[in-house]
């Protein structure tokens, strides 16, 4: 091919994903032709293990909200505690739970990969991969209250917290946002005033590999790595995937990776396996050839 790709290639570098891609809708609205493609290859997912590539076929969606509890500082902690039941399952009524994946994690492997300390129990019930990939998860990201260094023997009028809920791949973010709001208002402690301010939301996604283009990707990964790729889910959110699929009917989004569970993504010692990095580059080159 004289050093040139055998198909048309566009490179799109997006640097806001970790904060919810607030500029993305405006960019896609302004440049529909420039951002249109038949196949999107997004290398922002995870391989199953070193030497074991994967294609991600499901992502969870996301809704965020800031909840303010007025009249009693301790009320916000009591309210946040209602987000889970005694076993650690999300207790917000009305949220979707997608079917359990066909593949699951060995507990010892998952404990080692995630860094969970010995003796710390797993929360929730049942399927470990389902808990991470296809069921909702609620997290408290931040709490605003009196700092210990500024504490005195007085009460403050209100406290607030930021709550994030990862939602099932097929869940409607609007439904999830309403369910979260209803739950927080319903469980207001001691008649305290509760204010819920939604912040961001994004849809999850499911990608079928029953497509000639997807089969080309499977073949390219197998040829580059020497083993069959794993079809897996990821518990994180990449809302741009659903955006591309909605705006470009018939397109295929391929979620590939250069990292694995030992890479400590987002940590100060984030890394990747150089051998897998090289194989991933070869796989993408092979994919372009096969798509042609």
């Amino acid at each position: 091919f004289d050093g040139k790709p055998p198909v048309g290639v566009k490179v799109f570098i997006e640097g806001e994903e970790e904060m919810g891609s607030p500029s993305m809708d405006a960019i896609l609205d302004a440049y529909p032709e420039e951002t249109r493609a038949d196949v999107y290859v997004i290398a922002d997912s995870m391989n199953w293990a070193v030497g074991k590539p994967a294609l991600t076929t499901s992502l969870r969606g996301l809704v965020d909200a800031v909840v303010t509890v007025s009249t009693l500082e301790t009320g916000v902690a009591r309210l946040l505690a209602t987000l889970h039941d005694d076993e650690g399952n999300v207790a917000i009524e009305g949220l979707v739970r997608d079917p359990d994946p066909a593949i699951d994690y060995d507990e010892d492997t998952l404990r080692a990969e995630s860094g969970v300390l010995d003796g710390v129990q797993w929360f929730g019930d049942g399927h470990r991969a389902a808990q991470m990939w296809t069921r909702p998860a609620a997290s408290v990201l931040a709490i605003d209250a009196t700092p210990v260094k500024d504490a005195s023997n007085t009460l403050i009028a209100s406290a607030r917290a930021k709550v994030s809920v990862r939602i099932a791949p097929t869940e409607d973010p609007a439904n999830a946002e309403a369910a979260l709001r209803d739950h927080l208002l319903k469980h207001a402690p001691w008649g305290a005033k509760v204010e819920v301010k939604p912040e961001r939301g994004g849809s999850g996604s499911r990608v079928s590999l029953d497509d000639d283009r997807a089969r080309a990707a499977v073949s390219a990964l197998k040829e580059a790595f020497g083993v069959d790729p794993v079809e897996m889910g990821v518990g994180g959110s990449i809302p741009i995937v659903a955006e591309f699929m909605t705006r470009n009917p018939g397109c295929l989004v391929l979620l590939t990776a250069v990292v694995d569970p030992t890479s400590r993504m987002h940590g100060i010692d984030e890394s990747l396996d150089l051998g897998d990095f090289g194989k991933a580059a070869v796989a993408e080159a092979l994919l372009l050839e096969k798509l042609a």
Side-chain angles (χ1 to χ4, degrees), residues 192-210:
K193 179 183 177 181
V194 174
E195 178 186 0
V196 181
K197 181 182 178 182
E199 292 214 322
R200 61 175 178 167
S203 298
S205 54
R206 283 195 175 275
V207 177
S208 172
L209 298 185
D210 186 17

Side-chain angles (χ1 to χ4, degrees), residues 77-115:
R78 181 173 290 241
L79 179 58
L80 297 176
T82 70
L83 294 172
H84 300 86
D85 63 20
D86 291 342
E87 284 73 44
N89 301 296
V90 173
I92 303 171
E93 294 183 3
L95 293 181
V96 171
R97 283 174 48 145
D98 280 9
D100 292 351
I103 191 171
D104 197 7
Y105 282 95
D106 170 79
E107 181 172 332
D108 292 337
T109 299
L110 183 58
R111 185 177 291 272
E113 291 178 349
S114 61

Side-chain angles (χ1 to χ4, degrees), residues 243-259:
E243 280 291 329
F244 283 148
M245 294 171 68
T246 300
R247 292 169 181 264
N248 300 283
C251 77
L252 175 69
V253 179
L254 293 170
L255 284 158
T256 64
V258 294
V259 297

